[in-house]
């Protein structure tokens, strides 16, 4: 398939997410979003506005009630759960507020986990790539430490290395600096920005921090589940 280099790497049209019940809860209302390679986008809004719900839809972690998402030119609507999991593993990386590193594994092994699941590289190639990703983030000397031996900022950088493991086109982050001190927050923010500007990844991040949003190329504002602005 021929790719248009100017086309968005992710495009969502008319996304809604409704939880059925006696009174239906509308989490996201007809949101349309597009993100290009090399672009860092921040999603902002009040608590309970639907920021994380929108991110989970864009990350294919939740299915929309209505609407369509195209990722790297592929229409993801109607694909099986198994195929959806494969798309996430191949094309997406995730960073959450709480790093979700496996405590019994070293930093190196945590970074290797997505590569092992995908199974494209040999064990030696996986280890070499994981070492390289940690080195890029200044963590080479901590490769064989477990998460409990690392600071909060270091753990989050390991999570960012893990998010890059399978060379994704999009990295999605949910409040990635929410549990960090101010210095570590800036390091994580600048790391994500570098991945966009230098490596051409699309970065989509939910944040409530103005200093984080300052680094974004665009801010998507969402209120009561509806996108108010995307510029």
């Amino acid at each position: 398939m021929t790719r248009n280099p100017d086309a968005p790497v992710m495009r969502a049209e008319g996304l809604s997410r409704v939880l059925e019940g006696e009174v239906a809860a509308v989490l996201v209302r007809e949101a349309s979003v597009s993100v290009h390679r090399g672009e860092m986008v921040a999603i902002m809004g009040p608590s309970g506005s639907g920021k994380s719900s929108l991110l989970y839809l864009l990350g294919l972690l939740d299915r929309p009630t209505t609407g369509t998402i195209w990722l790297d030119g592929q229409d993801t609507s109607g694909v099986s759960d198994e195929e959806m999991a494969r798309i996430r593993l191949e094309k997406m990386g995730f960073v959450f507020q709480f790093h979700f590193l496996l405590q019994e594994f070293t930093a190196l092994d945590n970074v290797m986990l997505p590569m092992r699941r995908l199974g494209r590289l040999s064990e030696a190639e996986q280890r070499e790539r994981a070492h390289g990703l940690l080195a890029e983030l200044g963590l080479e000397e901590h490769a064989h430490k477990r998460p409990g031996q690392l600071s909060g900022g270091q753990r989050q950088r390991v999570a960012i290395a893990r998010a890059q493991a399978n060379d994704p086109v999009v990295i999605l982050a949910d409040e990635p600096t929410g549990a960090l001190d101010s210095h570590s927050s800036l390091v994580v923010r600048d790391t994500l920005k570098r991945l966009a500007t230098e490596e051409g990844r699309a970065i989509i991040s939910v944040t409530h921090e103005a200093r984080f949003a300052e680094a974004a190329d665009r801010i998507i504002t969402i209120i009561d589940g509806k996108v108010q602005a995307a510029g």
Side-chain angles (χ1 to χ4, degrees):
M1 181 187 300
T2 302
R3 301 282 192 232
N4 178 357
D6 297 322
V9 70
M10 174 179 284
R11 180 166 64 90
E13 293 288 343
L15 292 187
S16 293
R17 181 72 173 102
V18 180
L19 298 182
E20 299 295 342
E22 290 187 15
V23 179
V26 182
L27 304 181
V28 178
R29 303 170 185 265
E30 299 181 355
S32 294
V33 174
S34 63
V35 183
H36 289 76
R37 294 177 186 271
E39 185 177 34
M40 181 170 171
V41 175
I43 301 175
M44 301 189 77
S47 296
S49 61
K51 300 186 298 295
S52 292
S53 295
L54 176 58
L55 189 78
Y56 275 55
L57 290 175
L58 297 176
L60 308 182
L61 295 167
D62 201 359
R63 289 184 183 266
T65 305
T66 61
T68 304
I69 299 170
W70 290 266
L71 177 63
D72 204 21
Q74 179 180 359
D75 182 348
T76 64
S77 58
V79 304
S80 67
D81 289 345
E82 182 179 4
E83 175 67 4
M84 193 77 88
R86 185 195 63 78
I87 293 170
R88 288 196 303 267
L89 187 60
E90 288 185 349
K91 295 182 177 293
M92 294 180 154
F94 297 90
V95 182
F96 298 96
Q97 179 174 352
F98 302 103
H99 48 78
F100 295 126
L101 301 176
L102 297 183
Q103 297 296 319
E104 65 273 25
F105 287 0
T106 65
L108 186 73
D109 285 329
N110 269 284
V111 176
M112 290 173 65
L113 281 173
M115 291 183 265
R116 285 176 172 150
R117 286 185 60 204
L118 189 59
R120 284 182 174 170
L121 303 177
S122 68
E123 181 78 10
E125 289 170 330
Q126 292 173 22
R127 192 167 296 276
E128 181 181 2
R129 176 162 174 77
H131 270 296
L133 290 170
L134 290 170
E136 287 177 7
L137 298 176
L139 295 168
E140 190 171 22
E141 64 187 75
H142 303 293
H144 298 290
K145 292 181 181 178
R146 288 178 170 79
Q149 299 172 293
L150 303 173
S151 70
Q154 289 169 338
R155 288 194 292 267
Q156 199 63 303
R157 280 185 284 153
V158 173
I160 292 172
R162 180 183 60 189
Q164 298 181 75
N166 290 330
D167 195 23
V169 294
V170 180
I171 292 178
L172 301 103
D174 193 4
E175 297 282 8
T177 60
L180 302 179
D181 60 65
S182 58
H183 172 72
S184 297
S185 294
L186 289 176
V187 172
V188 167
R189 181 200 71 178
D190 293 346
T191 298
L192 291 172
K193 180 66 174 179
R194 180 182 62 78
L195 295 181
T197 57
E198 296 183 10
E199 300 192 17
R201 304 195 196 280
I203 308 294
I204 307 172
S205 181
V206 165
T207 186
H208 67 276
E209 297 181 7
R211 285 204 307 173
F212 186 99
E214 287 172 358
D217 298 294
R218 282 190 298 128
I219 296 174
I220 295 172
T221 303
I222 184 169
I223 299 175
D224 294 332
K226 190 169 183 61
V227 171
Q228 305 293 315

